[in-house]
Structure formats: structure tokens, C-alpha cells
Amino acid sequence: MSKGGKTIGGLLIFVVIAIMPFLYNMGKADAKPEINTDTPVIRELGATQCIEGTEYMRENHMHLLLEWRDAVVREGKTTYTNSQGEQFEMSLQNTCLNCHNDTPETVYYTAETANQGDNQFCYSCHNYAAVEPDCWACHAGPREAEK
């Protein structure tokens, strides 16, 4: 083989190795997570409307949470006014997890307990999207506080 042949051969081997994971996983997409919006708190409220619309929350919930964090921690604001003019407390526990919680007795959850069946609301989508929420880097749950 000449130098050109070795180069082309090496490039072909590289390309084959680079696309192997894609070829291996072709047609094997994970099932979309099923989100349970039939929680005891939501049933009690009788409303299924979140603080903003569903599409907005799917696309922008992280930006909203970051804005809330900055407003509460840096500016001392504790009230959020949504696009319809309704006001909500800027609280992960009292506003978000009050409804979006599979297990009412466990308001907080951690990465360690996520695989044990505790509150899959957030983790089912985040695992599907291969992103890791860092909420619990600052927010300690009761299990961590008890230790």
C-alpha cells in the first residue's frame, strides 16, 4: 500500500468506528416517558393548568427556574406573575413539587433515590433527554438532612 492507500484505509476505519454507535442504535429509540399528571394534589385542585402553558413549560422550565433562583436569592423577590396575570410563590417545593410529585410523602428527592422509585416526575424526562438536573446540589432533601 502506498501512503495514499494507508491514509484512505485509516480514514475508512476511523469513519466506520465513528458511526458504529449510530448504526448500532438505529431504530432503537427509547420510549417517550409517560408523565403522571393525576397526582393527589392536582386532583384536589381540580385544575391541570401549570403556572404557564404546557409547551412553554416543556421548553423553558429550566430558564424559569434559573430566573426564579436569581430573583429570590439575589433580589429578594418571592412572587412570580405569569402571562395571565396570576401570582405564584417562587418556590420549587411549594409551587412546583406541590403538584409535580409522584409520592406526596416525599417532596424532595435526590439522584441516589431516583432509581429507587421515588418521585420520577423530573427524572423520567431528564433521563430520557440525558440531562442531569442540578437542583439538589443546593437543595437538601429530608433523607440527606436526617443523615
Side-chain angles (χ1 to χ4, degrees), residues 62-81 88-92 139:
M62 195 59 223
H63 299 293
L64 182 66
L65 290 173
L66 291 174
E67 287 174 22
W68 282 17
R69 178 200 63 193
D70 292 344
V72 171
V73 173
R74 297 180 182 156
E75 300 167 23
K77 296 179 183 176
T78 58
T79 305
Y80 171 74
T81 305
F88 297 89
E89 179 185 3
M90 290 186 198
S91 169
L92 186 62
H139 296 273

Side-chain angles (χ1 to χ4, degrees), residues 106 108-120 143:
T106 309
Y108 289 118
Y109 57 96
T110 64
E112 292 80 32
T113 62
N115 297 325
Q116 299 170 10
D118 285 1
N119 199 334
Q120 290 297 307
R143 291 190 180 131

Side-chain angles (χ1 to χ4, degrees), residues 49-67:
Q49 176 66 32
C50 194
I51 60 168
E52 293 287 354
T54 303
E55 287 305 313
Y56 177 86
M57 292 306 291
R58 279 188 188 138
E59 295 174 15
N60 299 301
H61 71 279
M62 195 59 223
H63 299 293
L64 182 66
L65 290 173
L66 291 174
E67 287 174 22

Side-chain angles (χ1 to χ4, degrees), residues 13-25:
I13 290 171
F14 170 76
V15 168
V16 168
I17 290 172
I19 65 170
M20 285 290 277
F22 300 102
L23 294 175
Y24 178 76
N25 288 314

